[in-house]
Amino acid sequence: MTSPTVPLRLFVNGDRHEIQVEPRKTLADALREDCGLTGTHLGCEHGVCGACTILVDGKPARACLMFAVQCEGMSIRTVEGLAPDDETLHPLQQAFWDNHGLQCGFCTPGFLMLAAGVLEENPEPTEEELVEALSSNLCRCTGYQNILKATQCAAEAMRE
Amino acid sequence: MIGGSARRVEDPVLLRGRGRFAADSTVSGQLHLRVVRAGVAHGLLRGIDTTAALAVPGVAAVWTAVDVADLPPIDFRLTALDEQRPYRQPVLARTRVRYVGEPVAVVLASSEYVAEDAAELVEVDIDPLPAVLDGSGDVVPWLTAEEASWGAQREIAMGLGSESAEIRLEYGDVAAAFAAAHRVVEVDVTIGRHSGVPLECRGVSARVDPSTGVLVVDGAAKVPFWNRDAIARMIGWNPRDVHLREGHVGGGFGPRGELYPEDVLVPLAAVRLGRPVRWIADRQEDLVSTNHSRDQRHVLRAAVDETGVVTALDGQFWTDQGAYVRTHSATVSSLTASMLPGPYRVASYRVSGRIRMTNKTPAGTYRSPGRYEGTFARERLMDQIANELGLDRLEVRRRNFIPVEEMPYQRPIQAMGTELIYDSGDYALLMDKLEERFELARLRADVQRRRAAGECVGIGYGWFVEKSGLGPYEGAEVEVDTTGAVTVTTGTSSVGQGVDTVLTQVVADVLDVDLDRVRAVRGQTDRFGYGRGAFATRQSVMAGSAVLKAAEAVRVKALTVAAEHFEISPDDLEVVQGGIQVVGNADARISLGEVAALLEPQHANRLGLTPGLLAEEWFHCDHMTYPYGVHVSVVRIDRETGGPTVERYLVGYDVGKALNPTLVEGQITGGVAQGLGGALLEEFRYDEAGQPQASTFMDYLMPTMHEMPPVDVLVTEDAPSPLNPLGIKGAGEGGVTAAAACIASAIDDALQSPGFVTRTPVRPDLIRAHLATTGTHH
């Protein structure tokens, strides 16, 4: 029943990954299993929770709703590529830490990537715009208040 | 450090996506387990044909009940009632399926994709039977004598009905109070079926380490020590040879971490097939297999005097348990019964709670178990009393509060096997402080003005008492190495709430070291002897106290060694910045690492001390602590759609002493979101055949940022607990407890229809229908 695999080239966080996947394999599974990037989490596998949100060619996307083979040659960014180095956090990561924007941390990579995509497109969103955009992901621990606050702080830091 | 709002030590790893959640580790040669689940709610299992599945390349095994016939049912962990034993769940259905989602077979294959393909080829032949779906209807036959005997693991001569237990509590003279009552006020209300639904689905991996013969189980959470013993017992191993490891856990809230069928099947398969095995639930199976919760109907009657004081409370409630009684046995219903009177004196009290079996996913605990339900019912009743007597809603509550002079207050009943003694509390003071801090008078006036102007808007209240810090014990070891790095090892668990941070803060405070010099180790059954687990808001109280004692013992030992070193009295030494120095002479200093080096075994022996700068201490407590609080909300209703919007949410909560105020507020705000979900959105509904109607996130609606109002929290420390050295009461559950009660109260107020809300979730269609009948929609 296993279907034949096809070769695939993914550019993730600037690294080239030459992998072999079944055409039915989701991008999320390919990132996690074939590229070893388990920071992209799966919370529902039908596009609702947003834990698997990544940036595909700069735009937020649900990695569970894409097949890996759809992303041949595209530029993908995951949470592992957000921080510039081991000593420094990305302003969003720093703001989530400073503002207690996470508890269990399972939804966090998805929120970070969603917020990164949103802020890169619109560096000065209104609170209403942010709430609208961030409402596409689910968090079960924080009640969202600190996620909003953290994203606003990060937006400010990123503008400076 | 203790009491400071330190940033969490857990966060950098999680923020970089470097956490190790259940699905994040794989090993080569691993088999993937897929569960075949019942597609009907009730039926007799005629046969299972596994031929086609076994023929799929990559499939290593397919098991049904006959393959695991030697396994006993999953046992109770808490509040075990003997009469409920017959109702326990087998790991795979034996002769009958009782809910959609019940495991009937498992497929083990080389990949998740292959396992799923093969699972679809397993043919399950079931003769459907009518489904029992009403948790408060008639008692019906439920178990045959054979089924009852198997579940109880002893001979039972007759079949048993669908009422698995009844909880009864009573004190005072209820009959006399009702006979003398000025008025009897009654409510009949239902709290819907919903649950914790952590964002990470359940998952477990197991392998036998060939070099040691130890069975290593990953994906543990909440209660790894109990689960280690239970798994070992069920599969016939020594606990010594079974090791449970907790990695990162994507939310707990009660359901996660209990022992489920998959938690036994995966280790068993690893042992029997001699290969690593893993199982990761998908969301659909998680929603039909992980414990549901709530789902209680309450019929409460209060005898009240002219002033609104409740002289007696007479309650009946029914808990819809679902198809089996799992690890919690009677915990939820028992807590409902004990905690129902809440912050009120209630001179006489009688309650009967019936735990009823239905053909739904089994139920267990969820954050504030029994109290979310009971608080909803009791606070509906208090609103009703206010309405019938023409009194202010808060005034009725104030008149019934247990006054501070009567603390500690013993209700002559039990809660979780302990005497129910409210250890401390000043309820009226918290209400006063909340009034002042959030200017409630102005808020009320504002709501009234808007309503007069035609808006459909209201304010609501919910008062409650929580419980926390269930004992009976927790231990901790604190060890300093020769570089001064500290390890604190406990039997606690983390389900994401930040326990590492608070335990680290306690150590850092006592030894005066930086947080990043302390590493917290927990959830590893080979690193510590005992641990009771992450439930009942107990870890800060119990483990926090044990860690405090252990850190203080290390400090004393370090001072002893340093005193020897400097040939000076310990009284002339102080602990400063990870070292010990002579008071008033910072140059005469020895670091904690150097002290640890002096405690190398040979040298320690010469000093007459045990080796190592380490100490293990235990904290024991036979009583729970009782934090308390109040929720206030403002709700606006759209007259066209019936849609409620929670505009503002206020919480006042007294936790005795906050170890980390930011984390306390985070717990409360997160709890409010879950409470709001249960009040307005979340529900596991079933159709008349027992098919679940909410098995995806398209149907099981959880609050997003859009539904969340701004939440303002007032944390007070006016009533420290006398039961532990730091005065702590747990903060984990108070954000959720009164949410349904408070939002219902606000909706009634907005509609100016006292008593309208009798069930949750309060869906827009229910409000719209009400608006239509009252003719108040435009």
Side-chain angles (χ1 to χ4, degrees), chain A residues 29 38 43 98 103 140 144-145, chain B residues 7-8 113 196 682 703 711:
Chain A
D29 283 350
T38 54
D98 295 343
Q103 288 183 27
R140 196 58 168 164
Y144 302 104
Q145 198 149 290
Chain B
R7 289 185 308 188
R8 301 201 325 167
Y113 285 68
E682 301 174 31
V711 179

Side-chain angles (χ1 to χ4, degrees), chain B residues 58-83:
Chain B
V59 170
V62 182
W63 290 353
T64 65
V66 293
D67 299 292
V68 294
D70 51 329
L71 259 61
I74 295 176
D75 205 359
F76 301 146
R77 181 174 69 78
L78 278 176
T79 331
L81 289 188
D82 192 51
E83 66 263 38

Side-chain angles (χ1 to χ4, degrees), chain B residues 360-494:
Chain B
K360 302 176 189 172
T361 296
T365 63
Y366 169 31
R367 202 173 198 173
S368 196
R371 285 93 75 196
Y372 185 85
E373 301 90 319
T375 296
F376 175 71
R378 180 194 65 244
E379 295 298 289
R380 292 276 70 205
L381 182 68
M382 298 309 281
D383 271 11
Q384 189 66 22
I385 293 169
N387 179 46
E388 291 193 18
L389 270 61
L391 294 168
D392 175 75
R393 285 175 289 171
L394 282 175
E395 181 57 27
V396 168
R397 287 164 170 89
R398 281 180 183 272
R399 289 180 186 177
N400 281 284
F401 279 158
I402 298 163
V404 63
E405 309 80 62
E406 291 183 24
M407 294 289 171
Y409 182 84
Q410 179 162 15
R411 230 183 258 294
I413 51 177
Q414 295 232 318
M416 298 199 89
T418 65
E419 291 175 308
L420 199 158
I421 304 171
Y422 292 168
D423 51 339
S424 58
D426 190 339
Y427 305 153
L429 177 65
L430 178 60
M431 196 64 239
D432 291 344
K433 285 192 168 180
L434 198 81
E435 288 275 354
E436 194 185 316
R437 166 66 74 89
F438 298 122
E439 299 182 79
L440 294 190
R442 182 191 290 212
L443 191 63
R444 276 188 286 268
D446 184 49
V447 164
Q448 209 149 20
R449 192 163 46 245
R450 289 172 59 193
R451 207 159 47 223
E455 272 193 85
C456 192
V457 60
I459 187 166
Y461 314 97
W463 253 95
F464 65 99
V465 172
E466 257 301 334
K467 54 141 210 77
S468 82
L470 177 67
Y473 63 79
E474 210 61 54
E477 185 193 73
V478 173
E479 177 169 17
V480 185
D481 76 10
T482 53
T483 67
V486 188
T487 305
V488 53
T489 309
T490 62
T492 57
S493 281
S494 173

Side-chain angles (χ1 to χ4, degrees), chain B residues 263-275:
Chain B
D263 299 312
V264 182
L265 287 162
V266 169
L268 184 73
V271 168
R272 290 200 180 157
L273 301 175
R275 289 176 64 180

Side-chain angles (χ1 to χ4, degrees), chain B residues 295-372:
Chain B
D295 208 351
Q296 287 184 350
R297 177 183 163 205
H298 284 246
V299 176
L300 304 186
R301 294 167 64 238
V304 295
D305 69 14
E306 301 78 7
T307 65
V309 168
V310 177
T311 54
L313 175 60
D314 187 9
Q316 285 191 74
F317 68 91
W318 294 261
T319 304
D320 186 332
Q321 172 58 37
Y324 292 98
V325 181
R326 287 180 169 170
T327 50
H328 293 115
S329 189
T331 301
V332 174
S333 301
S334 162
L335 282 167
T336 301
S338 305
M339 300 294 289
L340 190 60
Y344 310 123
R345 194 192 260 124
V346 185
S348 296
Y349 176 50
R350 176 169 68 199
V351 69
S352 152
R354 298 164 186 279
I355 305 175
R356 291 288 182 77
M357 312 307 295
T358 61
N359 292 110
K360 302 176 189 172
T361 296
T365 63
Y366 169 31
R367 202 173 198 173
S368 196
R371 285 93 75 196
Y372 185 85

